[in-house]
Coordinates of all heavy atoms in Angstrom, one line a residue:
G1 N 186.1 131.4 151.6 CA 186.9 131.9 150.4 C 186.4 131.0 149.1 O 186.6 131.5 148.0
G2 N 186.1 129.8 149.3 CA 185.6 129.0 148.3 C 184.2 129.5 147.8 O 183.9 129.3 146.5
C3 N 183.4 130.0 148.6 CA 182.1 130.7 148.1 C 182.4 131.9 147.3 O 181.9 132.1 146.2 CB 181.3 131.1 149.3 SG 180.9 129.7 150.5
N4 N 183.5 132.7 147.7 CA 183.9 133.8 147.0 C 184.5 133.3 145.6 O 184.1 133.9 144.6 CB 185.1 134.4 147.8 CG 185.5 135.8 147.2 OD1 184.9 136.3 146.2 ND2 186.5 136.4 147.8
A5 N 185.3 132.2 145.6 CA 185.8 131.7 144.3 C 184.7 131.3 143.3 O 184.9 131.6 142.1 CB 186.8 130.6 144.5
Q6 N 183.8 130.7 143.8 CA 182.6 130.3 143.0 C 182.0 131.5 142.3 O 181.7 131.5 141.1 CB 181.5 129.6 143.8 CG 181.9 128.3 144.3 CD 180.9 127.7 145.2 OE1 179.6 127.6 145.0 NE2 181.3 127.4 146.6
M7 N 181.8 132.5 143.0 CA 181.2 133.8 142.5 C 182.2 134.6 141.6 O 181.8 135.1 140.6 CB 180.7 134.7 143.7 CG 179.6 134.1 144.5 SD 178.3 133.4 143.5 CE 177.6 134.8 142.8
V8 N 183.5 134.5 141.8 CA 184.4 135.0 140.9 C 184.3 134.4 139.6 O 184.2 135.0 138.5 CB 185.9 134.9 141.5 CG1 186.9 135.2 140.4 CG2 186.0 135.8 142.7
A9 N 184.2 133.1 139.6 CA 184.2 132.3 138.3 C 182.9 132.6 137.6 O 182.8 132.8 136.4 CB 184.2 130.9 138.7
L10 N 181.8 132.7 138.3 CA 180.4 132.9 137.7 C 180.3 134.4 137.2 O 179.8 134.5 136.1 CB 179.3 132.6 138.7 CG 179.1 131.1 139.1 CD1 178.2 131.0 140.3 CD2 178.6 130.4 138.0
I11 N 180.8 135.3 137.9 CA 180.8 136.6 137.5 C 181.7 136.9 136.3 O 181.3 137.5 135.3 CB 181.2 137.7 138.6 CG1 180.1 137.7 139.7 CG2 181.4 139.1 138.0 CD1 180.6 138.5 140.9
A12 N 182.9 136.3 136.3 CA 183.8 136.4 135.1 C 183.2 135.8 133.9 O 183.3 136.3 132.8 CB 185.1 135.7 135.5
E13 N 182.4 134.7 134.1 CA 181.8 134.2 132.9 C 180.6 134.9 132.4 O 180.4 135.0 131.2 CB 181.4 132.7 133.2 CG 180.8 131.9 132.1 CD 180.8 130.4 132.2 OE1 181.9 129.8 132.5 OE2 179.8 129.8 132.4
E14 N 179.8 135.5 133.3 CA 178.5 136.1 132.9 C 178.6 137.6 132.7 O 177.9 138.0 131.8 CB 177.5 135.8 134.0 CG 177.2 134.2 134.1 CD 176.2 134.1 135.2 OE1 175.5 135.0 135.6 OE2 176.2 132.9 135.7
Y15 N 179.5 138.3 133.5 CA 179.3 139.8 133.5 C 180.5 140.5 133.2 O 180.4 141.7 133.0 CB 178.8 140.2 134.9 CG 177.5 139.5 135.2 CD1 177.4 138.7 136.4 CD2 176.3 139.6 134.4 CE1 176.3 138.0 136.8 CE2 175.2 139.0 134.9 CZ 175.1 138.2 136.1 OH 174.0 137.5 136.4
S16 N 181.7 140.0 133.1 CA 182.9 140.8 133.0 C 183.2 141.2 131.7 O 184.1 141.9 131.4 CB 184.0 140.2 133.7 OG 184.4 138.9 132.9
V17 N 182.4 140.7 130.6 CA 182.5 141.1 129.3 C 183.9 141.0 128.9 O 184.5 141.8 128.1 CB 182.1 142.6 129.1 CG1 181.8 142.8 127.6 CG2 180.8 142.9 129.8
G18 N 184.5 139.8 129.2 CA 185.8 139.4 128.6 C 187.0 140.1 129.3 O 188.2 139.9 128.9
K19 N 186.8 141.0 130.3 CA 187.9 141.6 131.0 C 188.7 140.7 131.8 O 190.0 140.8 131.9 CB 187.4 142.7 132.0 CG 186.7 143.9 131.3 CD 186.2 144.9 132.3 CE 185.7 146.1 131.6 NZ 185.1 147.1 132.6
V20 N 188.1 139.7 132.4 CA 188.8 138.7 133.2 C 188.2 137.2 132.9 O 187.0 137.1 132.9 CB 188.8 138.9 134.8 CG1 189.4 137.7 135.5 CG2 189.5 140.2 135.0
K21 N 189.0 136.3 132.6 CA 188.6 134.9 132.3 C 189.2 134.1 133.4 O 190.4 134.0 133.7 CB 189.1 134.5 131.0 CG 188.8 133.1 130.6 CD 189.3 132.6 129.3 CE 188.9 131.1 129.0 NZ 189.4 130.7 127.6
V22 N 188.4 133.2 134.0 CA 188.7 132.2 134.9 C 188.9 130.8 134.2 O 188.0 130.3 133.6 CB 187.7 132.0 136.1 CG1 188.2 130.8 137.0 CG2 187.7 133.2 136.8
R23 N 190.2 130.3 134.1 CA 190.5 129.1 133.3 C 190.1 127.9 134.1 O 189.5 127.0 133.5 CB 192.0 129.1 133.0 CG 192.4 128.0 132.0 CD 194.0 128.1 131.9 NE 194.7 127.7 133.1 CZ 195.3 126.6 133.2 NH1 195.6 125.8 132.2 NH2 196.0 126.2 134.3
R24 N 190.6 127.8 135.4 CA 190.3 126.6 136.2 C 190.0 127.1 137.6 O 190.5 128.1 138.1 CB 191.5 125.6 136.1 CG 191.5 124.9 134.8 CD 192.6 123.9 134.7 NE 192.7 123.6 133.3 CZ 193.7 122.9 132.7 NH1 194.7 122.5 133.4 NH2 193.7 122.6 131.4
L25 N 189.3 126.2 138.3 CA 188.9 126.6 139.7 C 189.2 125.4 140.7 O 188.9 124.3 140.3 CB 187.3 126.8 139.6 CG 186.6 127.2 140.9 CD1 187.1 128.6 141.3 CD2 185.1 127.3 140.5
V26 N 189.7 125.7 141.9 CA 189.9 124.8 142.9 C 189.1 125.2 144.1 O 189.3 126.4 144.5 CB 191.4 124.8 143.3 CG1 191.7 123.7 144.4 CG2 192.3 124.4 142.1
L27 N 188.3 124.3 144.6 CA 187.4 124.6 145.8 C 187.7 123.7 146.9 O 187.5 122.3 146.7 CB 185.9 124.4 145.3 CG 185.4 125.3 144.2 CD1 183.9 124.9 143.7 CD2 185.4 126.7 144.5
A28 N 188.2 124.3 147.9 CA 188.8 123.4 149.0 C 188.0 123.7 150.3 O 187.8 124.7 150.8 CB 190.3 123.8 149.4
G29 N 187.3 122.7 150.8 CA 186.6 122.6 152.1 C 185.5 123.7 152.2 O 185.4 124.5 153.1

């Protein structure tokens, strides 16, 4: 799920055109 979280943050920053913003990220194990 941490791999998933990385991609959520990257997609939100690069491709979501402002629809969703990731403010902070926690990556565990």
Side-chain angles (χ1 to χ4, degrees):
C3 305
N4 190 3
Q6 292 172 56
M7 298 311 297
V8 170
L10 290 168
I11 291 172
E13 185 161 294
E14 296 179 21
Y15 306 118
S16 67
V17 197
K19 291 181 179 178
V20 176
K21 178 181 178 181
V22 175
R23 187 186 70 114
R24 290 180 190 167
L25 182 63
V26 181
L27 300 176

